[in-house]
Amino acid sequence: MTTGLIPGGHPPDPRPTDGLPSQTRREPVGQGALHVDNRSRSSVITARAAASFEPVGRSVATARAFVRDTLQGWGFADIVDDAVVLTSELVTNAVVHAGTSADVLCLRSDDGVRIEVADRYPEREIPLQGSAVNMGSPDREGGRGLQLCAALAGRWGVEYTPTHKQVWFQLDLPDRAVGTRTAGPSLPADLLPLADGRVRVAVVQIDRTGCISAWNEDAEELFGYASEQVNGKPLTDLAAWPHTPGTSTGVAEALQLSRWEGSYGIRGANGRVTPVYASHLRVRDTGGEPSTVCLLVRDHERAVLQTPLRHSSSDSGTGPDGQNTDPFEVFIGSPPPDDLDGLLQRTVERARDMLDGDSAFLLLATDDETELEVRASTGLPSARQRFARVPVEAGPGRYGSARMPAVHEDLTMVPGAVPLLNGTGMRSVVTVPLKVEGRLTGSLGVAAEAPGRYSNEEALRLQFAADRIALAVESARLGELERLRRGSLSFLVEASDLLAGTLDRDQTLALMAQMTVPTLATWCAVYTIADQASEPYLSYVLHEDEELIDGIKSLLSKIAPPDPVPTPGARVWSAPAESAHQAALRTSMRSLGLGEPIPRVSSGIGPTLATASAVGGETVVLPLVARNRVIGMLTLGKPTDEHFRQEILELAEDLSRRAALALDNARLYSERTAISQSLQRSLLPPELPDIEGVEVEVIYRAAGEGNEVGGDFYDVFPISDGAYGFAIGDVCGTGPNAAAVTGLARHALRLLAREGLSGPAVLERLNSAILDEGARSRFLTLLYGEMRPQDDGSAELKVVCAGHPLPLRLRQDGTVEPAAEPQPLLGVMEDLELYEQTVTLDPGDVLLCVTDGVTERREGSRMLGDDGLTDVLTTCTGLTAGAVAARIMRAVERFASDAPSDDMAILAMRVPGLHKD
């Protein structure tokens, strides 16, 4: 077992009496003086309970529970807390530090309780009478066991044998004046609680299995069962437990509690439920067997059993009526705060007041116990250290005393011993650890501006307070952490959905910023990197106050961007804060006439100082890594004197990974879309020629998102000698594969037509070119023609319709007729015999050419078809070519409610006729 004193303390001077070194807690005569207890152990032992615990960490909690249950079972609730604290320290020394098993023995006597803790690793010889005892190095984590015994126990001692060492302590029961523990005022008879002529109190004893083992006569009278009928039956068979929403305690759980009071019902022999008020007390017999004694009265007679409400007190552990109060409530006050921040803030305020300090602070350990994070402070210059983190292990400028109490009489002699207090003017400080089951969970400190204010006595008082609130703080911290993690999961799920819902780069950048501000940070900036050779580029800036965005953007544009380091995790970037502070300083100096004058100084001071305040806190950079390449950085910032908490940084790291993939996907999509659109535009005619005496209009729609060219195509181009070629075709299929054949057909038509070949010859050679594509070839329907405007205002057309929907001719009188005959399509047969037909368009006539995407437009089982197209065209008499094409497209779109699934092309040509002057 490791023992020791807080630095500056004095070891006790145990002297053996009858072979037993012991100590008595009395008022010291001088500095460090302790008296020897020469009283013999003559008290009669009335009960005992023993248990052994293995050398594992969880044994400490088990030993505490054993002692607590034992003393509460004996009815010694007044000394339970002190006994549990002492047992916890002694068992921790045995099973954790000494690494041996521990034997705990509880002895009950008339005047108190004696608890013995023995281990099997005596690290010292039996001390000689009168010799000083070295209780261990003050730098070791353990060592408070004997000091606590000296502070809390009425008597204590240490016994040694060659194989065992035993530490014992005696806790005396407080004096209880009979009849004065609680007292009420004298009341008139008419104000007394109402009860039957005879008050019956049912006494029911429940064994450890929950079954009834004793049932008195009043229980028989109240509920109608004889003892023989209920003995051995579970109480749950009779209890009608109220199911209160949000309350998980049931009758089985209530029977396991050391004390419980409340209302429920008992089903009587007549089948009716009798409401009762119950008081449960869990006890243990001399053989160590636990059971629960239940006292039951009718619910309207609850005043017989109900415990009066305790009076809260923040100054002592004893209420005005002599009752002991909860030590946690003594320190924190009642009611305790519901949230963690409120609990921590009240803790530091009470700690400061308890030791009459000038400031106090509380740090909580991270999950891996390697760092401490500032969570609450009072009396310090500002809250700039909130969520700041420092390592736990010893070293320059670190909290070397985090795992044990420490007293610093003058911080100027040990600069950097408590980094939180650097530059605050505090001189003396006492710090103590917060531990739960031997695990470091935090550190509590109180500081004063004067040196030499604190000693071991204050450290012990603060440690006792820390031990009482450690479990509540850890429970609240775990609850907050669980809520934060649940919120983080919801946040990441929503962020993933939003990021996955867009492939636009700019929108992705905006989403990244909007998701971080203000949820994770006060402001953020996103840098992007185009390629490995490019420098980071500031792409997006956002602040929760829109008026500060321009100032931050201007500030960041003047400093070098952060290095694109691929190492995961957040790293601190100090350049923005330093640059902001320097800019604010220059502006302030100029405003005071200490620097170079600037125009309109007053208007420039505000934005500069506001920007400095906005970015003056902690700034971190997270890399955006996608496909093993850094594509940018996500920069998060806090305003002046604020830090990020570790959980927020971990959440931001998760978000940065998702955002990096979304940003890279948007980049790839944008690049591929730009390439696709550039290639598709090369397949379309550059522009329609201006043909004298003929109006030409084209409407083209490619099916599929992002497609500008599909399987349908058109072309109108000059050939020679006033002749123009026109074509409209449809390649089998849609999308890029069909567009490849589209490009082949359109360019081949132009080349062959300009060679002076006739229409049939042009199509026959195009058919051979398509067949030469082999597996990539696709059949093609094509309407090709040559047009020559005539002097009389008409136009002569020579047309070849190779498997394509027939062109329709609209005359001035409103009649519509086909303008060609059908012939074989291209890309199927090698030998084609095609011929051309001549059509003359008189002034006012319209030639309409469409692809099958127009005629095959469907709505359920209905289809527009050739007849429907003809009906629409008959209404276009007198319209221009553009108006005709627009009316046809509008009729096609309105024919069905869903979006078109096939490419569509409409080519309208109209001969307006000669105009007379």
Side-chain angles (χ1 to χ4, degrees):
M1 178 180 68
T2 301
T3 59
L5 288 176
I6 299 171
H10 298 273
D13 184 20
R15 298 182 177 90
T17 302
D18 298 331
L20 176 65
S22 61
Q23 292 292 339
T24 301
R25 183 179 60 180
R26 298 178 183 174
E27 292 298 327
V29 177
Q31 176 67 30
L34 291 172
H35 292 274
V36 178
D37 176 31
N38 294 319
R39 291 179 292 175
S40 62
R41 292 175 292 165
S42 59
S43 300
V44 177
I45 303 300
T46 59
R48 68 178 61 232
S52 297
F53 304 95
E54 297 297 323
V56 293
R58 62 177 180 272
S59 295
V60 179
T62 308
R64 288 198 297 264
F66 165 72
V67 172
R68 182 179 297 276
D69 290 344
T70 299
L71 298 190
Q72 287 180 338
W74 288 347
F76 294 161
D78 298 314
I79 59 175
V80 163
D81 290 331
D82 288 343
V84 168
V85 170
L86 294 177
T87 303
S88 178
E89 287 293 335
L90 298 178
V91 174
T92 299
N93 287 341
V95 303
V96 175
H97 302 299
T100 74
S101 59
D103 299 326
V104 180
L105 175 63
C106 301
L107 301 174
R108 183 181 69 183
S109 61
D110 296 334
D111 54 353
V113 173
R114 173 187 169 104
I115 298 179
E116 301 175 355
V117 179
D119 63 49
R120 298 178 176 84
Y121 188 68
E123 58 183 36
R124 294 167 300 183
E125 297 179 354
I126 299 177
L128 299 177
Q129 182 173 1
S131 63
V133 178
N134 180 13
M135 300 182 68
S137 170
D139 295 329
R140 302 182 63 179
E141 179 181 345
R144 296 197 304 270
L146 300 184
Q147 187 73 10
L148 289 175
C149 289
L152 297 180
R155 285 171 290 164
W156 66 278
V158 185
E159 297 178 355
Y160 296 92
T161 69
T163 59
H164 288 75
K165 180 179 65 184
Q166 176 179 284
V167 181
W168 63 271
F169 58 88
Q170 175 85 26
L171 296 176
D172 298 328
L173 293 177
D175 295 332
R176 297 177 180 174
V178 177
T180 61
R181 186 173 184 183
T182 60
S186 300
L187 294 176
D190 57 346
L191 298 181
L192 295 176
L194 181 64
D196 291 342
R198 174 185 174 187
V199 176
R200 298 186 180 274
V201 179
V203 180
V204 182
Q205 191 160 5
I206 312 299
D207 62 20
R208 67 187 310 163
T209 65
C211 296
I212 299 172
S213 59
W215 184 270
N216 71 342
E217 294 180 358
D218 282 354
E220 295 181 4
E221 292 292 333
L222 286 175
F223 310 121
Y225 297 108
S227 60
E228 297 82 10
Q229 296 177 275
V230 295
N231 282 338
K233 291 185 177 180
L235 180 63
T236 54
D237 290 352
L238 305 179
W241 194 263
H243 296 283
T244 304
T247 303
S248 60
T249 303
V251 63
E253 289 78 8
L255 292 175
Q256 297 299 319
L257 300 176
S258 58
R259 288 182 180 274
W260 185 88
E261 283 189 24
S263 300
Y264 54 94
I266 296 293
R267 296 184 182 88
N270 57 4
R272 296 181 179 178
V273 175
T274 301
V276 298
Y277 187 84
S279 176
H280 296 177
L281 176 65
R282 193 159 173 80
V283 297
R284 181 196 302 265
D285 62 18
T286 55
E289 186 69 17
S291 61
T292 302
V293 177
C294 306
L295 305 181
L296 311 174
V297 297
R298 295 183 179 91
D299 191 64
H300 65 273
E301 298 172 343
R302 62 170 57 198
V304 176
L305 298 180
Q306 191 169 20
T307 302
L309 296 177
R310 294 182 176 181
H311 298 277
S312 61
S313 174
S314 58
D315 299 328
S316 66
T318 304
D321 56 0
Q323 296 185 85
N324 286 350
T325 58
D326 186 356
F328 172 77
E329 292 186 0
V330 169
F331 183 68
I332 295 298
S334 181
D338 296 331
D339 60 314
L340 176 62
D341 290 336
L343 175 61
L344 299 183
Q345 192 60 36
R346 186 178 295 186
T347 297
V348 296
E349 291 172 357
R350 293 299 172 91
R352 179 195 59 186
D353 297 341
M354 182 179 70
L355 299 187
D356 193 22
D358 297 313
S359 65
F361 52 90
L362 193 149
L363 302 88
L364 293 183
T366 55
D367 290 341
D368 55 5
E369 299 185 30
T370 60
E371 290 183 313
L372 292 172
E373 189 176 63
V374 180
R375 292 300 302 271
S377 63
T378 182
L380 295 179
S382 69
R384 68 180 185 278
Q385 299 290 346
R386 183 167 169 82
F387 298 121
R389 293 170 299 281
V390 292
V392 172
E393 299 303 327
R398 299 181 177 181
Y399 283 86
S401 59
R403 297 186 183 275
M404 60 174 292
V407 176
H408 296 283
E409 296 182 352
D410 193 347
L411 288 176
T412 59
M413 306 301 295
V414 282
V418 184
L420 179 64
L421 301 180
N422 291 345
T424 62
M426 300 297 161
R427 297 283 298 276
S428 56
V429 61
V430 53
T431 60
V432 296
L434 274 69
K435 292 187 176 182
V436 175
E437 298 184 357
R439 182 173 62 85
L440 178 68
T441 61
S443 178
L444 176 63
V446 178
E449 295 179 353
R453 284 281 301 275
Y454 302 118
S455 62
N456 295 333
E457 181 179 355
E458 285 79 12
L460 280 175
R461 292 176 60 194
L462 189 61
Q463 184 64 67
F464 297 154
D467 291 340
R468 286 171 168 82
I469 60 101
L471 185 60
V473 169
E474 179 66 2
S475 177
R477 187 186 74 87
L478 292 177
E480 180 196 64
L481 187 60
E482 179 64 21
R483 290 190 296 271
L484 181 61
R485 286 176 176 170
R486 290 182 180 179
S488 299
L489 290 176
S490 300
F491 173 78
L492 290 175
V493 169
E494 182 178 357
S496 299
D497 290 341
L498 291 174
L499 291 171
T502 179
L503 288 173
D504 182 81
R505 176 182 175 276
D506 294 337
Q507 189 174 1
T508 301
L509 291 172
L511 284 174
M512 290 171 57
Q514 292 167 6
M515 285 185 292
T516 57
V517 177
T519 305
L520 305 182
T522 305
W523 65 272
C524 85
V526 183
Y527 290 85
T528 57
I529 303 175
D531 51 56
Q532 297 293 345
S534 301
E535 291 293 326
Y537 174 75
L538 182 61
S539 299
Y540 202 92
V541 176
L542 184 65
H543 191 280
E544 60 183 5
D545 185 355
E546 294 182 357
E547 296 181 355
L548 298 177
I549 294 177
D550 292 337
I552 297 176
K553 187 181 299 183
S554 175
L555 176 70
L556 294 179
S557 63
K558 295 177 182 178
I559 62 177
D563 296 330
V565 179
T567 305
R571 53 190 174 93
V572 178
W573 186 30
S574 58
E578 294 174 356
S579 178
H581 292 160
Q582 292 174 3
L585 179 61
R586 288 193 300 268
T587 302
S588 299
M589 293 179 65
R590 290 172 181 174
S591 67
L592 297 175
L594 302 177
E596 297 179 0
I598 58 175
R600 292 185 300 177
V601 172
S602 59
S603 63
I605 294 178
T608 303
L609 296 179
T611 301
S613 177
V615 302
E618 187 176 43
T619 303
V620 296
V621 178
L622 297 102
L624 299 175
V625 181
R627 298 171 178 87
N628 299 322
R629 186 175 73 87
V630 180
I631 63 171
M633 285 89 69
L634 177 63
T635 303
L636 305 179
K638 286 283 190 179
T640 301
D641 300 337
E642 287 196 22
H643 292 258
F644 288 96
R645 60 184 305 175
Q646 187 63 32
E647 293 84 359
I648 296 298
L649 292 180
E650 293 174 358
L651 180 58
E653 186 177 356
D654 289 337
L655 176 63
S656 67
R657 287 194 292 265
R658 291 164 168 79
L661 289 175
L663 183 61
D664 198 45
N665 289 337
R667 178 187 62 84
L668 293 174
Y669 178 79
S670 299
E671 291 178 356
R672 293 180 180 180
T673 300
I675 293 173
S676 174
Q677 291 175 348
S678 178
L679 292 175
Q680 291 183 62
R681 291 191 188 103
S682 67
L683 302 178
L684 295 174
E687 60 182 8
L688 295 176
D690 187 10
I691 304 176
E692 185 178 357
V694 179
E695 298 175 357
V696 180
E697 183 64 30
V698 174
I699 295 179
Y700 182 83
R701 301 283 176 84
E705 183 179 358
N707 292 330
E708 294 190 18
V709 177
D712 292 4
F713 68 95
Y714 69 93
D715 200 1
V716 180
F717 55 92
I719 299 177
S720 63
D721 299 334
Y724 293 86
F726 65 90
I728 184 168
D730 185 2
V731 179
C732 175
T734 60
N737 293 329
V741 179
T742 296
L744 171 65
R746 194 179 69 81
H747 290 94
L749 283 175
R750 287 198 172 204
L751 290 174
L752 295 173
R754 287 171 178 172
E755 290 294 325
L757 300 176
S758 63
V762 170
L763 269 58
E764 288 170 2
R765 284 168 173 75
L766 176 59
N767 180 65
S768 299
I770 295 174
L771 292 175
D772 288 343
E773 292 293 312
R776 296 183 298 176
S777 66
R778 291 170 176 262
F779 63 83
L780 166 67
T781 67
L782 180 63
L783 172 65
Y784 173 74
E786 294 180 3
M787 176 176 56
R788 290 179 181 272
Q790 303 298 314
D791 295 337
D792 59 356
S794 64
E796 183 182 73
L797 284 68
K798 294 182 179 180
V799 181
V800 180
C801 186
H804 198 77
L806 300 179
L808 299 179
R809 178 182 181 182
L810 171 64
R811 295 184 180 274
Q812 286 187 333
D813 58 4
T815 59
V816 176
E817 60 185 7
E821 297 178 353
Q823 300 183 58
L825 52 79
L826 307 181
V828 178
M829 299 179 294
E830 293 184 1
D831 297 328
L832 291 179
E833 294 183 1
L834 302 175
Y835 57 93
E836 62 184 8
Q837 298 174 269
T838 301
V839 179
T840 300
L841 294 182
D842 297 326
D845 290 354
V846 176
L847 183 70
L848 177 65
C849 308
V850 299
T851 57
D852 60 4
V854 174
T855 56
E856 294 180 0
R857 176 72 163 152
R858 293 181 178 273
E859 174 68 22
S861 59
R862 297 186 308 117
M863 186 172 69
L864 180 62
D866 296 334
D867 295 338
L869 180 62
T870 300
D871 293 339
V872 176
L873 186 58
T874 56
T875 65
C876 298
T877 304
L879 299 180
T880 63
V884 172
R887 179 169 293 187
I888 297 299
M889 178 55 71
R890 186 163 55 251
V892 171
E893 291 176 342
R894 292 179 177 178
F895 187 79
S897 58
D898 56 344
S901 59
D902 195 4
D903 304 328
M904 292 187 295
I906 300 174
L907 172 61
M909 294 182 293
R910 178 176 180 267
V911 179
L914 294 176
H915 296 280
K916 296 181 180 180
D917 296 334

